[in-house]
């Protein structure tokens, strides 16, 4: 007999582990690139009723064998600002496929995640208009599902889900048509926002480089190297509108800081 609260315990542990990996990676993206692709992380463990409904639909029984075939007991939604963030997140998940070894109590533990299925409902939206990128993964012997989507796609999907609930699962034709055209508007919005993403990226990179430059110049001034600081300041105007030149100037200034004075 299955006691749901007991059955899902290892899944709850897995959910915590995967969610914390996403959160940690997002912090690393932010500190290294100045931009965090994950806007929100939504997680859930499937309810017993939903698992039973799915098993019945698939002609499987409510036992360990049947439940082992359900790949979305753990569900994680990764919501991003821009469409171009989706492959970024996919790349992150794929990086977990490489075996990681953790030395715990002199034992090497394989800490690996395998991608078992990908469904691209962004390039190939569902009939309803639904858009999202679905990934089924396996960690040890447990599956989990990740849905990667933009804020606009998530807004659409949660509203459509709410309406379906309200109409008892069967939406009237007129509402379905409206939702489909709203999904297309959402897609146009996503593509337009994606176009300006490059500008956002350039903006954040530039401000990060300027921060690094100012910090280096400040240290040079404080450590009696004002002539170097003045020289860098004089060169800044010529480099300010050229990202590559600014990058090279910021690196040079940082490298000129006497050893031991740079603190991250
Ligand atoms: P929940 O609570 O959101 O997880 P199956 O998984 O067997 O039902 P299939 O075809 O393998 O069917 O799954 P698919 O198409 O990958 O869809 C699974 C999940 O995607 C759904 O989970 C929804 O979360 C989401 N989804 C798919 N199509 C739609 C859609 O038209 N509208 C909305 N709002 N969401 C969709 P569940 O199980 O429905 O529930």
């Amino acid at each position: 007999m299955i006691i749901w609260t007991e059955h899902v315990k290892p899944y709850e542990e897995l959910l915590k582990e995967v969610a914390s990996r996403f959160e940690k990676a997002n912090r690393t993206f932010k500190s290294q690139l100045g931009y965090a692709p994950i806007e929100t992380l939504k997680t859930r463990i499937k309810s017993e009723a939903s698992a039973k409904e799915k098993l019945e639909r698939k002609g499987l029984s409510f036992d360990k064998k049947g439940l082992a075939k359900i790949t979305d007991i753990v569900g994680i939604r990764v919501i991003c600002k821009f469409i171009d963030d989706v492959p970024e997140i996919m790349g992150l998940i794929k990086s977990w496929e490489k075996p990681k070894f953790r030395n715990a109590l002199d034992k090497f533990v394989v800490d690996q995640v395998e991608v078992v299925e990908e469904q691209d409902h962004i390039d190939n939206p569902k009939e309803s208009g639904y858009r999202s990128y679905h990934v089924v993964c396996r960690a040890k012997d447990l599956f989990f599902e990740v849905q990667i989507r933009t804020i606009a796609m998530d807004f659409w999907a949660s509203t459509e889900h709410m309406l379906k609930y309200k109409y008892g699962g069967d939406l009237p034709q007129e509402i379905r048509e409206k939702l489909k055209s709203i999904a297309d508007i959402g897609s146009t919005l996503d593509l337009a926002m994606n176009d300006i993403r490059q500008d956002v990226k350039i903006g954040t990179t530039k401000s990060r480089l300027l921060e690094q430059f100012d910090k280096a110049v400040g240290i040079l001034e404080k450590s009696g190297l004002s002539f170097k600081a003045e020289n860098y300041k004089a060169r800044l105007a010529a480099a300010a509108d050229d990202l590559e030149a600014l990058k090279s100037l910021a690196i040079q200034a940082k490298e000129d800081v006497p050893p031991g004075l740079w603190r991250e």
Side-chain angles (χ1 to χ4, degrees), residues 136-149:
V136 175
C137 300
R138 182 167 45 209
K140 298 194 179 87
D141 54 346
L142 301 182
F143 290 105
F144 62 94
E145 185 183 285
V146 185
Q147 298 180 347
I148 316 167
R149 52 172 81 153

PDB file of all heavy atoms in Angstrom, residues 136-149:
ATOM      1  N   VAL A 136      12.790  16.314 -19.067  1.00  0.00           N
ATOM      2  CA  VAL A 136      12.679  15.274 -18.040  1.00  0.00           C
ATOM      3  C   VAL A 136      14.093  14.821 -17.705  1.00  0.00           C
ATOM      4  O   VAL A 136      14.888  14.533 -18.596  1.00  0.00           O
ATOM      5  CB  VAL A 136      11.823  14.075 -18.519  1.00  0.00           C
ATOM      6  CG1 VAL A 136      11.827  12.951 -17.482  1.00  0.00           C
ATOM      7  CG2 VAL A 136      10.406  14.521 -18.819  1.00  0.00           C
ATOM      8  N   CYS A 137      14.402  14.804 -16.420  1.00  0.00           N
ATOM      9  CA  CYS A 137      15.750  14.409 -15.983  1.00  0.00           C
ATOM     10  C   CYS A 137      15.647  13.263 -14.984  1.00  0.00           C
ATOM     11  O   CYS A 137      14.587  13.039 -14.386  1.00  0.00           O
ATOM     12  CB  CYS A 137      16.434  15.566 -15.266  1.00  0.00           C
ATOM     13  SG  CYS A 137      16.637  17.035 -16.252  1.00  0.00           S
ATOM     14  N   ARG A 138      16.784  12.579 -14.811  1.00  0.00           N
ATOM     15  CA  ARG A 138      16.829  11.520 -13.802  1.00  0.00           C
ATOM     16  C   ARG A 138      18.047  11.759 -12.912  1.00  0.00           C
ATOM     17  O   ARG A 138      19.148  12.015 -13.399  1.00  0.00           O
ATOM     18  CB  ARG A 138      16.923  10.144 -14.459  1.00  0.00           C
ATOM     19  CG  ARG A 138      16.934   9.011 -13.443  1.00  0.00           C
ATOM     20  CD  ARG A 138      16.718   7.646 -14.046  1.00  0.00           C
ATOM     21  NE  ARG A 138      17.522   7.465 -15.241  1.00  0.00           N
ATOM     22  CZ  ARG A 138      17.175   6.673 -16.241  1.00  0.00           C
ATOM     23  NH1 ARG A 138      16.045   6.020 -16.213  1.00  0.00           N
ATOM     24  NH2 ARG A 138      17.960   6.534 -17.281  1.00  0.00           N
ATOM     25  N   ALA A 139      17.825  11.677 -11.624  1.00  0.00           N
ATOM     26  CA  ALA A 139      18.938  11.761 -10.668  1.00  0.00           C
ATOM     27  C   ALA A 139      18.886  10.469  -9.873  1.00  0.00           C
ATOM     28  O   ALA A 139      17.893  10.193  -9.212  1.00  0.00           O
ATOM     29  CB  ALA A 139      18.776  12.949  -9.749  1.00  0.00           C
ATOM     30  N   LYS A 140      19.936   9.695  -9.951  1.00  0.00           N
ATOM     31  CA  LYS A 140      19.947   8.326  -9.415  1.00  0.00           C
ATOM     32  C   LYS A 140      18.739   7.593 -10.026  1.00  0.00           C
ATOM     33  O   LYS A 140      18.633   7.519 -11.227  1.00  0.00           O
ATOM     34  CB  LYS A 140      19.976   8.331  -7.897  1.00  0.00           C
ATOM     35  CG  LYS A 140      21.246   8.995  -7.365  1.00  0.00           C
ATOM     36  CD  LYS A 140      21.487   8.745  -5.910  1.00  0.00           C
ATOM     37  CE  LYS A 140      22.758   9.420  -5.479  1.00  0.00           C
ATOM     38  NZ  LYS A 140      22.571  10.826  -5.078  1.00  0.00           N
ATOM     39  N   ASP A 141      17.773   7.119  -9.205  1.00  0.00           N
ATOM     40  CA  ASP A 141      16.650   6.406  -9.833  1.00  0.00           C
ATOM     41  C   ASP A 141      15.352   7.221  -9.800  1.00  0.00           C
ATOM     42  O   ASP A 141      14.271   6.680 -10.015  1.00  0.00           O
ATOM     43  CB  ASP A 141      16.461   5.033  -9.167  1.00  0.00           C
ATOM     44  CG  ASP A 141      16.317   5.167  -7.664  1.00  0.00           C
ATOM     45  OD1 ASP A 141      16.624   6.267  -7.145  1.00  0.00           O
ATOM     46  OD2 ASP A 141      15.891   4.198  -7.017  1.00  0.00           O
ATOM     47  N   LEU A 142      15.470   8.517  -9.548  1.00  0.00           N
ATOM     48  CA  LEU A 142      14.254   9.346  -9.484  1.00  0.00           C
ATOM     49  C   LEU A 142      14.198  10.341 -10.640  1.00  0.00           C
ATOM     50  O   LEU A 142      15.201  10.949 -10.985  1.00  0.00           O
ATOM     51  CB  LEU A 142      14.196  10.128  -8.170  1.00  0.00           C
ATOM     52  CG  LEU A 142      14.210   9.346  -6.853  1.00  0.00           C
ATOM     53  CD1 LEU A 142      14.109  10.307  -5.684  1.00  0.00           C
ATOM     54  CD2 LEU A 142      13.060   8.339  -6.793  1.00  0.00           C
ATOM     55  N   PHE A 143      12.994  10.499 -11.188  1.00  0.00           N
ATOM     56  CA  PHE A 143      12.815  11.469 -12.279  1.00  0.00           C
ATOM     57  C   PHE A 143      12.374  12.822 -11.716  1.00  0.00           C
ATOM     58  O   PHE A 143      11.741  12.886 -10.659  1.00  0.00           O
ATOM     59  CB  PHE A 143      11.702  11.004 -13.227  1.00  0.00           C
ATOM     60  CG  PHE A 143      12.062   9.811 -14.055  1.00  0.00           C
ATOM     61  CD1 PHE A 143      11.537   8.551 -13.765  1.00  0.00           C
ATOM     62  CD2 PHE A 143      12.904   9.940 -15.149  1.00  0.00           C
ATOM     63  CE1 PHE A 143      11.858   7.445 -14.535  1.00  0.00           C
ATOM     64  CE2 PHE A 143      13.222   8.844 -15.929  1.00  0.00           C
ATOM     65  CZ  PHE A 143      12.699   7.598 -15.622  1.00  0.00           C
ATOM     66  N   PHE A 144      12.664  13.866 -12.454  1.00  0.00           N
ATOM     67  CA  PHE A 144      12.039  15.165 -12.176  1.00  0.00           C
ATOM     68  C   PHE A 144      11.832  15.905 -13.490  1.00  0.00           C
ATOM     69  O   PHE A 144      12.516  15.619 -14.476  1.00  0.00           O
ATOM     70  CB  PHE A 144      12.839  16.018 -11.170  1.00  0.00           C
ATOM     71  CG  PHE A 144      14.227  16.401 -11.592  1.00  0.00           C
ATOM     72  CD1 PHE A 144      14.477  17.616 -12.230  1.00  0.00           C
ATOM     73  CD2 PHE A 144      15.308  15.569 -11.329  1.00  0.00           C
ATOM     74  CE1 PHE A 144      15.761  17.994 -12.593  1.00  0.00           C
ATOM     75  CE2 PHE A 144      16.606  15.936 -11.692  1.00  0.00           C
ATOM     76  CZ  PHE A 144      16.835  17.140 -12.318  1.00  0.00           C
ATOM     77  N   GLU A 145      10.830  16.806 -13.508  1.00  0.00           N
ATOM     78  CA  GLU A 145      10.544  17.546 -14.750  1.00  0.00           C
ATOM     79  C   GLU A 145      10.793  19.046 -14.554  1.00  0.00           C
ATOM     80  O   GLU A 145      10.390  19.617 -13.543  1.00  0.00           O
ATOM     81  CB  GLU A 145       9.090  17.332 -15.176  1.00  0.00           C
ATOM     82  CG  GLU A 145       8.817  18.003 -16.526  1.00  0.00           C
ATOM     83  CD  GLU A 145       7.366  17.883 -16.965  1.00  0.00           C
ATOM     84  OE1 GLU A 145       6.960  16.793 -17.399  1.00  0.00           O
ATOM     85  OE2 GLU A 145       6.642  18.898 -16.880  1.00  0.00           O
ATOM     86  N   VAL A 146      11.466  19.630 -15.534  1.00  0.00           N
ATOM     87  CA  VAL A 146      11.705  21.077 -15.498  1.00  0.00           C
ATOM     88  C   VAL A 146      10.965  21.702 -16.674  1.00  0.00           C
ATOM     89  O   VAL A 146      11.055  21.218 -17.798  1.00  0.00           O
ATOM     90  CB  VAL A 146      13.218  21.405 -15.604  1.00  0.00           C
ATOM     91  CG1 VAL A 146      13.443  22.911 -15.444  1.00  0.00           C
ATOM     92  CG2 VAL A 146      14.034  20.645 -14.568  1.00  0.00           C
ATOM     93  N   GLN A 147      10.209  22.739 -16.395  1.00  0.00           N
ATOM     94  CA  GLN A 147       9.560  23.507 -17.465  1.00  0.00           C
ATOM     95  C   GLN A 147      10.231  24.875 -17.496  1.00  0.00           C
ATOM     96  O   GLN A 147      10.219  25.598 -16.503  1.00  0.00           O
ATOM     97  CB  GLN A 147       8.064  23.675 -17.180  1.00  0.00           C
ATOM     98  CG  GLN A 147       7.302  22.356 -17.122  1.00  0.00           C
ATOM     99  CD  GLN A 147       5.817  22.547 -16.842  1.00  0.00           C
ATOM    100  OE1 GLN A 147       5.369  23.614 -16.459  1.00  0.00           O
ATOM    101  NE2 GLN A 147       5.048  21.479 -17.031  1.00  0.00           N
ATOM    102  N   ILE A 148      10.838  25.195 -18.636  1.00  0.00           N
ATOM    103  CA  ILE A 148      11.524  26.482 -18.753  1.00  0.00           C
ATOM    104  C   ILE A 148      10.678  27.389 -19.651  1.00  0.00           C
ATOM    105  O   ILE A 148      10.286  26.981 -20.746  1.00  0.00           O
ATOM    106  CB  ILE A 148      12.934  26.314 -19.385  1.00  0.00           C
ATOM    107  CG1 ILE A 148      13.668  25.114 -18.764  1.00  0.00           C
ATOM    108  CG2 ILE A 148      13.757  27.588 -19.219  1.00  0.00           C
ATOM    109  CD1 ILE A 148      14.912  24.696 -19.539  1.00  0.00           C
ATOM    110  N   ARG A 149      10.380  28.569 -19.180  1.00  0.00           N
ATOM    111  CA  ARG A 149       9.533  29.483 -19.968  1.00  0.00           C
ATOM    112  C   ARG A 149       9.776  30.937 -19.589  1.00  0.00           C
ATOM    113  O   ARG A 149      10.405  31.218 -18.570  1.00  0.00           O
ATOM    114  CB  ARG A 149       8.055  29.116 -19.761  1.00  0.00           C
ATOM    115  CG  ARG A 149       7.662  29.014 -18.303  1.00  0.00           C
ATOM    116  CD  ARG A 149       6.169  28.839 -18.098  1.00  0.00           C
ATOM    117  NE  ARG A 149       5.676  27.502 -18.271  1.00  0.00           N
ATOM    118  CZ  ARG A 149       4.583  27.030 -17.665  1.00  0.00           C
ATOM    119  NH1 ARG A 149       3.872  27.812 -16.866  1.00  0.00           N
ATOM    120  NH2 ARG A 149       4.168  25.813 -17.859  1.00  0.00           N
TER     121      ARG A 149
END
